[in-house]
Amino acid sequence: LDLQWKNTDFLKELGFYGSYHQDPMNQLIHFIFIPLIWWSINVWLCYLPPLGLSLTVLGHKVTWGTLMLLIYVGYYCALDTTSGLAFAPVLTVMYLLSYRAVSKERERNGTLKSKGKEPPYWSWGKVAFVVHALGWIMQIGPGHGHYEGVKPALMDSLGQALGVAPLFAFLEGWWMMGGSPETAAAVGELVLANR
């Protein structure tokens, strides 16, 4: 992964975000809950066709969730091709899980309604709401409030925090496993300068 880490703006983005995430417990909380927040938003968006249009590509119904996946992968590849391509399969799996859950729920509800039965009260949208709320509570409460002791990055740059957070959480996991030590060190130096 170190081959294309020469984008200094990208390193600065990581350094900015990393300066808010130095405590190992806070890092673990973010590593778990940022992907879950991304997944929960994607679940909600998988219920919605873009602009109310019914588009199908190669038998796959396009939703706002599809567009969210494409936007994030495109953005990450523009920031850094190697890390964007490395993270793309993770985002794609989360998208496919979201898409499949919503599709199966729609099929089930359609079958029940055709038999004159009411669908169950629970839905993947409601599950996503609980997961989403829990993700934010864990990051802001124990993550930043207790372990890190600093405000979340989104308080200083909402767009940057929401855009870079999923990729940063992925990269922190990669770095913890020993991947890209030179990049981890470069970002570490920027973190110290920002902190």
Side-chain angles (χ1 to χ4, degrees):
L1 280 176
D2 272 358
L3 296 176
Q4 296 204 5
W5 288 86
K6 305 305 179 211
N7 181 342
T8 55
D9 290 337
F10 178 58
L11 291 176
K12 285 179 186 174
E13 295 257 347
L14 295 177
F16 165 81
Y17 194 76
S19 67
Y20 294 84
H21 305 93
Q22 290 303 291
D23 181 84
M25 283 303 294
N26 188 35
Q27 291 172 343
L28 179 62
I29 288 168
H30 282 69
F31 184 75
I32 294 167
F33 288 102
I34 287 174
L36 290 174
I37 288 172
W38 193 94
W39 171 84
S40 68
I41 294 169
N42 201 261
V43 167
W44 297 330
L45 294 177
C46 281
Y47 284 100
L48 306 171
L51 306 174
L53 302 172
S54 181
L55 302 172
T56 303
V57 175
L58 301 172
H60 185 85
K61 187 174 181 178
V62 177
T63 67
W64 279 109
T66 313
L67 299 179
M68 178 181 166
L69 169 69
L70 295 175
I71 289 167
Y72 268 83
V73 168
Y75 175 61
Y76 291 155
C77 286
L79 281 177
D80 182 79
T81 306
T82 304
S83 59
L85 290 174
F87 192 39
V90 176
L91 291 175
T92 301
V93 167
M94 287 192 294
Y95 163 72
L96 291 172
L97 291 171
S98 304
Y99 179 84
R100 181 167 171 78
V102 171
S103 296
K104 291 294 182 185
E105 177 183 308
R106 285 190 166 153
E107 287 175 23
R108 178 201 67 208
N109 290 350
T111 301
L112 289 172
K113 285 181 181 178
S114 71
K115 294 179 180 180
K117 297 179 180 180
E118 281 295 313
Y121 176 74
W122 79 273
S123 69
W124 280 106
K126 291 175 183 174
V127 171
F129 176 81
V130 171
V131 168
H132 191 83
L134 180 63
W136 283 109
I137 290 167
M138 290 300 295
Q139 288 182 86
I140 293 170
H144 283 281
H146 178 71
Y147 293 111
E148 194 74 46
V150 299
K151 63 186 174 182
L154 60 88
M155 301 299 283
D156 288 329
S157 178
L158 179 64
Q160 187 180 27
L162 296 178
V164 174
L167 180 59
F168 186 81
F170 169 76
L171 291 173
E172 275 194 321
W174 174 247
W175 296 333
M176 283 182 203
M177 294 185 310
S180 303
E182 294 168 6
T183 303
V187 170
E189 289 175 21
L190 290 169
V191 165
L192 292 176
N194 288 332
R195 192 81 176 198

